[in-house]
Amino acid sequence: MCSRENEFKSILISLCYFHAVVVERRKFGPQGWNRSYPYNTGDLTISVNVLYNYLEANAKVPWTDLRYLFGEIMYGGHITDDWDRRLCKTYLGEYMKPEQLDGDLMLAPGFAIPPNSDYIGYHQYIDENLPPESPYLYGLHPNAEIGFLTTTSEGLFRTVLEMQPRDASGGAGAASSREEKVKTLLDEITEKLPEEFNMLEMMARCEDRTPYAVVAFQECERMNGLTREMKRSLKELDLGLKGELTITAGMEDLENALFLGSVPDNWTKRAYPSLNGLAAWYADLLQRIKDLESWVTDFNMPVAVWLAGLFNPQSFLTAIMQSMARKNEWPLDKMCLQCDVTKKNKEDFTSAPREGAYVHGLFMEGARWDTQTGLIQESRLKDLTPAMPVIFIKAIPVDKQETKNIYECPVYKTKHRGPTFVWTFNLKTKEKPAKWVIAGVALLLSD
């Protein structure tokens, strides 16, 4: 047994609780961890050995060293995402601190760290005091469970739909009705798809190549690439359905996707990350084209930019910094973005700001933005991704950046988070930032 029994047992309990939380948090999907990691009992066992050795070798409990070893090496060795690493370190910062030796530590709401006891005593304490399983035990909001259950059930129904026999019961009649449905949808999409952007004509019209104009050109080029592929593949499938071309594997995949109402893979490769079905995805695409058309008509900055409507939102945010850097002759590598959340919606604005930009179309997951107080607050039940008001973004020198009462909030393109990361927005909070880190709070460009 460890010569410092009280400290060893107390930190061991924290370590066990931490292990249970990081392993079980995986079930909440991307709001739990951006990526899934293979944590296992071996991580806990080796961490206990490290704890024993460090307590034996030091006169005082080396809290910082222990947190570093567990968070960066034992458990952190699995982690490949910086935001997940921050979450792991935050958990350890909350669960392992000197106060726990006096019993002044709540591992979860209503569950204080157990006093010194033996194996049976700890079991009894946990059985009597540990609250029922709920997202609160992980520091998450109950909405996280609603989101995870919704995603699971959607996946189940999608699989059932895809497993249905293609020519169910109707034989030739069913096959023809399937083709008719696909043909109707194909004609509808082709009819509504606008013409490509004329890049040469646009470039000739644009007199001042500002960073914003360059972003507009890039967006139009990428949109042309997507609409070109859509027209080509739809025309090819149309000829195949008429019997004028041999149906290839690619055409068959496109037909299946149209029939099931999902976005075809060859379109997704050229498009932007999206979790929508085909109907919502196509309506979204047309809105993006409309917004781009109005932007490139005179190349004046839109009053409020729909950040989610861009293929590459990072390029627009970088353009804000570039234009400010040129105007004020600041070094670009010594600048950052400042985000001020307004109290208005996009309809309330009539003109673009003189510097920076207004952006709209963001949603918050894991918490909500309180317009009255101008702070992050707890989510409302069943309101999974409340919309954000318009955000005013401008570039400032790094040394003028606010660091007090700030939560560094990651921005992602979709709920899948991980690889769809865009930027970090600093948002005001009265609560400790650790609370929002553990709650998995992030801004999304699509609800």
Side-chain angles (χ1 to χ4, degrees):
M1 190 60 196
C2 183
S3 59
R4 301 170 67 185
E5 187 187 335
N6 190 28
E7 289 93 334
F8 179 75
K9 285 184 176 177
S10 179
I11 299 172
L12 178 59
I13 286 286
S14 285
L15 196 55
C16 291
Y17 191 82
F18 165 75
H19 177 78
V21 165
V22 296
V23 170
E24 289 297 315
R25 191 179 165 106
R26 281 185 297 215
K27 71 179 181 185
F28 295 102
Q31 196 177 342
W33 295 103
N34 276 349
R35 291 175 170 83
S36 189
Y37 303 109
Y39 299 122
N40 54 61
T41 316
D43 298 321
L44 179 59
T45 311
I46 200 76
S47 296
V48 173
N49 293 339
V50 168
L51 170 64
Y52 177 88
N53 293 337
Y54 264 71
L55 287 180
E56 289 291 323
N58 290 277
K60 286 184 176 179
V61 178
W63 296 102
T64 309
D65 294 5
L66 290 172
R67 284 195 293 262
Y68 182 85
L69 285 162
F70 302 149
E72 296 282 1
I73 300 169
M74 304 307 164
Y75 287 84
H78 294 291
I79 297 174
T80 55
D81 184 282
D82 288 342
W83 298 103
D84 287 342
R85 191 173 296 283
R86 178 179 78 158
L87 172 62
C88 184
K89 283 155 66 177
T90 305
Y91 264 136
L92 285 165
E94 293 297 301
Y95 294 160
M96 283 186 195
K97 42 193 179 184
E99 296 94 296
Q100 71 183 77
L101 300 178
D102 305 320
D104 293 339
L105 176 67
M106 300 296 280
L107 292 173
F111 184 60
I113 195 159
N116 191 353
S117 184
D118 56 9
Y119 181 76
I120 296 167
Y122 282 128
H123 255 276
Q124 199 174 344
Y125 181 90
I126 290 166
D127 289 340
E128 289 171 4
N129 295 286
L130 186 67
E133 169 82 10
S134 78
Y136 287 124
L137 298 185
Y138 305 86
L140 291 161
H141 190 272
N143 283 351
E145 191 164 42
I146 297 172
F148 138 70
L149 292 172
T150 306
T151 307
T152 309
S153 55
E154 280 173 357
L156 173 67
F157 287 123
R158 179 108 210 133
T159 307
V160 170
L161 179 66
E162 287 171 0
M163 285 173 68
Q164 282 188 325
R166 294 190 186 171
D167 305 333
S169 68
S176 65
S177 67
R178 176 191 168 91
E179 284 190 5
E180 282 164 16
K181 181 186 173 184
V182 170
K183 181 76 175 79
T184 309
L185 193 56
L186 187 151
D187 292 339
E188 202 177 296
I189 292 173
T190 312
E191 186 189 329
K192 288 183 183 174
L193 206 57
E195 290 297 310
E196 287 182 21
F197 291 98
N198 186 332
M199 298 304 295
L200 291 173
E201 184 267 331
M202 272 168 46
M203 286 177 173
R205 263 193 305 117
C206 181
E207 295 166 9
D208 187 12
R209 289 283 180 93
T210 63
Y212 298 121
V214 173
V215 172
F217 287 139
Q218 290 171 346
E219 290 294 317
C220 291
E221 274 179 337
R222 291 190 68 170
M223 188 59 80
N224 281 353
L226 173 58
T227 53
R228 202 178 294 132
E229 172 60 21
M230 288 172 71
K231 284 173 184 169
R232 183 203 65 75
S233 56
L234 289 169
K235 187 179 179 184
E236 203 177 65
L237 179 60
D238 192 28
L239 292 171
L241 292 174
K242 287 175 183 171
E244 294 175 25
L245 275 181
T246 308
I247 296 276
T248 62
M251 289 155 73
E252 198 173 332
D253 290 343
L254 177 59
E255 184 187 354
N256 288 338
L258 293 177
F259 181 70
L260 294 169
S262 58
V263 184
D265 286 344
N266 59 328
W267 297 2
T268 308
K269 283 175 193 167
R270 291 167 175 78
Y272 33 84
S274 174
L275 304 180
N276 289 331
L278 183 60
W281 181 88
Y282 190 57
D284 181 69
L285 175 76
L286 295 177
Q287 185 59 49
R288 286 166 185 258
I289 295 172
K290 190 179 165 188
D291 275 28
L292 268 179
E293 282 172 347
S294 65
W295 188 359
V296 299
T297 304
D298 51 9
F299 287 98
N300 284 339
M301 174 89 111
V303 174
V305 175
W306 181 31
L307 201 59
L310 304 174
F311 280 85
N312 187 3
Q314 293 96 315
S315 64
F316 178 77
L317 296 171
T318 307
I320 294 175
M321 294 209 292
Q322 285 174 329
S323 56
M324 289 283 280
R326 289 179 188 180
K327 184 179 173 185
N328 299 309
E329 296 184 355
W330 291 339
L332 194 60
D333 60 341
K334 299 273 171 57
M335 293 174 68
C336 63
L337 291 181
Q338 178 178 300
C339 308
D340 294 321
V341 185
T342 67
K343 294 190 175 185
K344 300 176 180 178
N345 294 320
K346 63 168 184 169
E347 295 80 16
D348 303 327
F349 292 93
T350 51
S351 60
R354 279 189 298 179
E355 52 187 37
Y358 294 125
V359 300
H360 70 94
L362 286 94
F363 303 85
M364 187 175 274
E365 185 177 40
R368 67 183 172 89
W369 184 262
D370 189 334
T371 315
Q372 300 303 317
T373 59
L375 300 166
I376 306 175
Q377 301 283 10
E378 285 271 356
S379 293
R380 292 194 178 100
L381 198 61
K382 297 184 183 176
D383 190 1
L384 270 58
T385 49
M388 291 286 288
V390 169
I391 301 176
F392 173 47
I393 300 177
K394 67 174 183 178
I396 56 166
V398 172
D399 53 9
K400 290 189 180 174
Q401 190 178 12
E402 266 191 72
T403 51
K404 275 190 175 182
N405 300 328
I406 287 293
Y407 168 61
E408 290 182 14
C409 185
V411 182
Y412 298 98
K413 290 179 185 175
T414 71
K415 283 184 182 178
H416 278 169
R417 300 195 181 194
T420 68
F421 175 72
V422 176
W423 209 275
T424 306
F425 285 0
N426 288 348
L427 301 178
K428 291 177 183 172
T429 172
K430 263 194 178 170
E431 304 270 2
K432 284 195 304 179
K435 175 177 178 171
W436 308 122
V437 172
I438 289 172
V441 176
L443 288 175
L444 308 175
L445 296 186
S446 59
D447 60 350

